[in-house]
């Protein structure tokens, strides 16, 4: 048989694969998703619809709506900042755990705990900074839509606040578990929650 071809499957095997797919679809588990995941999903699809509307009006109707581009760009703000809270919850941010291979268990635990505290403090401080910034310049209007940019800044602030809350939860879980993803990354490879 040639390398580029494969043997055709029997019709019974194809029917069986569809039957198996039907049983798997009934086993969908959405419990691993949280509030921030659904908020990001809404903003993502809003952005996708705005980009499609921009494309349609520009290239099909030859008369584009200027506001669609601005709002699509502004949809990225909650996607990034609220989506970052989902990454904190899942412990999926980039981390360097090379040093932990050479530290003893006790020293690794202390350093890991210090990293958890630093994360909570950083996200809390960033929340405070963004809130101050929003209060200072929040009256600035958007370019094409008569809405205040404070909406965007408050969404970024909410993202940082969610990151701080999730960082506290992760720190508590790490404390109760006795180790973190920095110390044992292999224990978190299959984590979807």
């Amino acid at each position: 048989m040639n390398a580029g071809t494969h043997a055709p499957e029997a019709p019974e095997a194809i029917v069986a694969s569809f039957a198996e797919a039907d049983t798997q679809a009934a086993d969908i588990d959405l419990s691993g998703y949280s509030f921030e995941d659904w908020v990001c999903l809404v903003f993502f699809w809003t952005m996708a619809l705005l980009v499609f509307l921009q494309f349609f009006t520009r290239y099909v109707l030859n008369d584009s709506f200027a506001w669609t581009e601005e709002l699509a760009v502004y949809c990225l703000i909650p996607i990034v900042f609220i989506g970052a809270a989902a990454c904190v919850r899942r412990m999926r941010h980039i981390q360097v755990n090379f040093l932990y291979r050479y530290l003893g268990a006790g020293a690794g635990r202390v350093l890991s705990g210090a990293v958890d505290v630093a994360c909570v403090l950083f996200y809390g401080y960033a929340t405070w900074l963004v809130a101050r910034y929003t209060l200072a310049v929040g009256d600035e209007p958007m370019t094409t839509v008569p809405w205040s940019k404070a909406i965007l800044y408050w969404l970024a602030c909410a993202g940082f606040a969610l990151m701080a809350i999730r960082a506290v939860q992760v720190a508590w879980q790490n404390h109760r578990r006795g180790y973190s993803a920095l110390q044992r990354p292999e224990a978190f490879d299959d984590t979807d929650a």
Side-chain angles (χ1 to χ4, degrees):
M1 188 174 285
N2 293 340
T5 62
H6 63 281
E9 291 189 45
E12 296 81 19
I14 294 172
V15 170
S17 69
F18 280 110
E20 181 182 338
D22 287 343
T23 61
Q24 288 177 354
D27 297 336
I28 294 174
D29 181 21
L30 300 178
S31 65
Y33 298 101
S34 188
F35 170 75
E36 56 267 26
D37 298 308
W38 299 110
V39 170
C40 285
L41 184 69
V42 168
F43 277 105
F44 176 80
W45 281 106
T46 302
M47 181 183 67
L49 291 172
L50 287 167
V51 168
F52 174 76
L53 184 61
Q54 173 69 15
F55 175 84
F56 182 78
T57 57
R58 178 178 287 172
Y59 295 109
V60 176
L61 301 179
N62 203 23
D63 185 25
S64 65
F65 297 143
W67 55 268
T68 56
E69 184 175 354
E70 182 180 23
L71 291 181
V73 169
Y74 287 153
C75 281
L76 285 173
I77 291 171
I79 291 171
V80 167
F81 289 103
I82 296 173
C87 290
V88 170
R89 184 186 84 243
R90 293 181 179 150
M91 296 172 277
R92 293 295 188 212
H93 280 280
I94 295 173
Q95 56 194 10
V96 179
N97 53 13
F98 179 75
L99 180 65
Y100 291 90
R101 292 178 186 221
Y102 299 103
L103 288 176
R109 182 71 209 119
V110 169
L111 185 58
S112 176
V115 168
D116 286 341
V117 169
C119 287
V120 170
L121 292 175
F122 172 77
Y123 296 134
Y125 181 63
T127 303
W128 179 72
L129 285 177
V130 175
R132 283 190 59 201
Y133 180 79
T134 303
L135 293 172
V137 298
D139 294 337
E140 182 181 337
M142 294 181 186
T143 305
T144 59
V145 181
W147 297 343
S148 172
K149 283 189 181 177
I151 298 167
L152 305 169
Y153 302 144
W154 284 121
L155 286 170
C157 186
F160 274 116
L162 275 170
M163 284 184 252
I165 291 166
R166 295 303 188 188
V168 168
Q169 291 172 341
V170 166
W172 179 250
Q173 290 168 356
N174 290 342
H175 174 72
R176 289 185 64 207
R177 188 183 310 111
Y179 61 90
S180 72
L182 290 169
Q183 295 168 281
R184 296 186 195 168
E186 68 280 354
F188 298 89
D189 285 344
D190 296 332
T191 303
D192 290 329

